[in-house]
C-alpha cells in the first residue's frame, strides 16, 4: 500500500492591513491582523521512488514543478532536516481562489511543512516551523501559526492574539485577479490617506467585541486599486453590508472581499443571493488556533 499524507491548508483573511514603509531589500513593512478560516485546500503527499517532486491538481494552470510553493516546501524541508521523501507526488485539491489575497499558495507551502514534520517525526516546534516557513514567503509563517495573529515586519513577525470567537464569514471573489508585487508598487506611487486603527482593532479582539472588530476592518490596498476595480470591490462590500455583514473589506492584495457576520443563517442566505447576482461566493467560519501535532 502506498503511504499517503493528508493535510488541510486553511485560507487566511486580513482583518486589517497597513503598509508602513519600504525596507532596503525592497519588501514592505506591514502591520496586519490575520485570521484563519476553516475553508481551504486539501493536500495529499504521496512519496515515490523516483521522479523528484511534482504537483497534480484540479486547476489546469497551477504550476506543477519548482514554481509551485508546495514543491519548494518539500525541498526546503528535506534540505533543512534531512528527512522527508526524496521524490513525491503532491496532490492539491484547490478550493481557495487563486490570486485572491487569501494566502492560497502560502497555506499549501505551510501545510506541506506541517505534514512532513509530523509524519517524519522531525520534532520541530511551531517556532522552528515558522522560521523555516519564512524562507518560502512572507505569509507562510502565519499559515503555520493559524488562528488570530498580529503580523509585523514583512508579515513574518507574529504575535498571537485572543482567538476571535468562531464567526460566520462570506468570501466573494470578483472575476479579476490581483498581483501582490504590482499592488505594492501601485501603493508606492500614492500617498496613503487613511490607515486602519490597528491598535484599536487589537484591543477589540482581545476584548472579544465582534462589533468593534467589524468597525475596524480596513485594508490600505483598496486605495491602490484602479478606479474600475475599486468600484467592483466597493460594490461587493456594500452588497455584503446590505445583506447583514457587520463589516466588510478586501483581503490581502485582493481581489477577494469578505464580510464578517454575526448570524450564520444570514451569511448563508447572503451567499445564495450573491451567487444569484453572479458573484462567486463561499460560506466559511473563522477558525481558532490550528491543531498542530508536532
Ligand atoms: O514574500 P512573498 O514571496 O510572498 O512576496 C511576494 C512579493 O510581494 C515580493 O516579491 C514583494 O514584491 C512583495 N512583498 C512586499 N512586502 C511584503 C510582502 C511581499 O513588498 N511585506
Amino acid at each position: 500500500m502506498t503511504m499517503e499524507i493528508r493535510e488541510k491548508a486553511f485560507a487566511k483573511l486580513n482583518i486589517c492591513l497597513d503598509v508602513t514603509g519600504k525596507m532596503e531589500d525592497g519588501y514592505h513593512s506591514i502591520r496586519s491582523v490575520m485570521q484563519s478560516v476553516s475553508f481551504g485546500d486539501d493536500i495529499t503527499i504521496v512519496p515515490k521512488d523516483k521522479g523528484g517532486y511534482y504537483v497534480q491538481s484540479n486547476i489546469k494552470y497551477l504550476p506543477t514543478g519548482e514554481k509551485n510553493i508546495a514543491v519548494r516546501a518539500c525541498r526546503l524541508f528535506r534540505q533543512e532536516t534531512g528527512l522527508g521523501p526524496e521524490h513525491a507526488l503532491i496532490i492539491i485539491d484547490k478550493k481557495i481562489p487563486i490570486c485572491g489575497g487569501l494566502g492560497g499558495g502560502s497555506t499549501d507551502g505551510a501545510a506541506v511543512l506541517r505534514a512532513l514534520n509530523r509524519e517524519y517525526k522531525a520534532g520541530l516546534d511551531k517556532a522552528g516551523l515558522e522560521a523555516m516557513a519564512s524562507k518560502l514567503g512572507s505569509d507562510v509563517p502565519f499559515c503555520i501559526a493559524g488562528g488570530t495573529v498580529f503580523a509585523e515586519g514583512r508579515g513574518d513577525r507574529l504575535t498571537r492574539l485572543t482567538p476571535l470567537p468562531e464567526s460566520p464569514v462570506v468570501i466573494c471573489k470578483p472575476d479579476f485577479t490581483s498581483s501582490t508585487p504590482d499592488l505594492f508598487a501601485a501603493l508606492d506611487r500614492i500617498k496613503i490617506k487613511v490607515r486602519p486603527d490597528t491598535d484599536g482593532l487589537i484591543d477589540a479582539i482581545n476584548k472579544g467585541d465582534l462589533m468593534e472588530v467589524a468597525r475596524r476592518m480596513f485594508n490600505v490596498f483598496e486605495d491602490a486599486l484602479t478606479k474600475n476595480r475599486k468600484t467592483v470591490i466597493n460594490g461587493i462590500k456594500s452588497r455584503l453590508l446590505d445583506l447583514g455583514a457587520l463589516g466588510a473589506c478586501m483581503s490581502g492584495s485582493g481581489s477577494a472581499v469578505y464580510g464578517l457576520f454575526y448570524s450564520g443563517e444570514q451569511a448563508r442566505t447572503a451567499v445564495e443571493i450573491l451567487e444569484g447576482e453572479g458573484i462567486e461566493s463561499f460560506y466559511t467560519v473563522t477558525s481558532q488556533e490550528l491543531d498542530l501535532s508536532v
Side-chain angles (χ1 to χ4, degrees), residues 23 26-30 106 136-139 153-155 180-181 184:
M23 299 185 272
Y27 276 87
H28 293 74
S29 50
I30 68 160
S106 304
L136 290 175
S138 308
D139 286 349
R154 66 181 176 101
T180 305
F184 269 112

Side-chain angles (χ1 to χ4, degrees), residues 10-74:
F10 299 98
K12 69 100 181 129
L13 301 173
N14 297 84
I15 302 185
C16 76
L17 177 50
D18 196 3
V19 178
T20 51
K22 196 168 179 183
M23 299 185 272
E24 273 178 7
D25 59 4
Y27 276 87
H28 293 74
S29 50
I30 68 160
R31 296 183 86 222
S32 178
V33 174
M34 299 185 181
Q35 171 68 49
S36 44
V37 290
S38 62
F39 153 81
D41 300 342
D42 290 305
I43 309 283
T44 308
I45 303 169
V46 189
K48 296 277 181 191
D49 297 330
K50 54 180 176 14
Y53 303 121
Y54 56 107
V55 167
Q56 266 175 16
S57 83
N58 55 328
I59 306 280
K60 266 209 191 86
Y61 48 85
L62 208 68
T64 56
E66 279 312 311
K67 277 197 177 151
N68 194 302
I69 192 167
V71 165
R72 288 194 285 120
C74 270

Side-chain angles (χ1 to χ4, degrees), residues 162-165 200-216 246 260:
T162 307
L164 206 67
L201 174 64
I202 292 172
D203 273 353
I205 286 173
N206 285 334
K207 285 188 197 131
D209 188 338
L210 201 61
M211 286 302 289
E212 289 297 315
V213 169
R215 267 162 39 93
R216 290 179 172 81
L246 304 175
L260 193 63

Side-chain angles (χ1 to χ4, degrees), residues 11 31 34 38 47 79 93 101 131 152 164 182 194 223 226 290 294:
R31 296 183 86 222
M34 299 185 181
S38 62
Q79 266 166 12
D93 186 9
E152 295 170 279
L164 206 67
D182 289 358
V194 189
D223 248 356
T226 60
L290 298 182
V294 288

Side-chain angles (χ1 to χ4, degrees), residues 122-200:
L124 288 164
D125 61 8
K126 230 174 191 179
L129 272 185
E130 283 172 22
M132 197 186 286
S134 72
K135 297 181 182 170
L136 290 175
S138 308
D139 286 349
V140 190
F142 166 75
C143 296
I144 295 284
T148 310
V149 169
F150 175 43
E152 295 170 279
R154 66 181 176 101
D156 58 349
R157 237 173 56 216
L158 308 179
T159 309
R160 185 168 292 288
L161 305 176
T162 307
L164 206 67
E166 191 180 285
S167 312
V169 170
V170 174
I171 300 176
C172 300
K173 179 64 181 66
D175 57 10
F176 64 87
T177 57
S178 195
S179 141
T180 305
D182 289 358
L183 213 54
F184 269 112
L187 204 60
D188 287 339
R189 292 192 294 268
I190 62 164
K191 186 162 167 44
I192 300 175
K193 289 190 232 61
V194 189
R195 293 183 181 276
D197 173 14
T198 309
D199 296 336

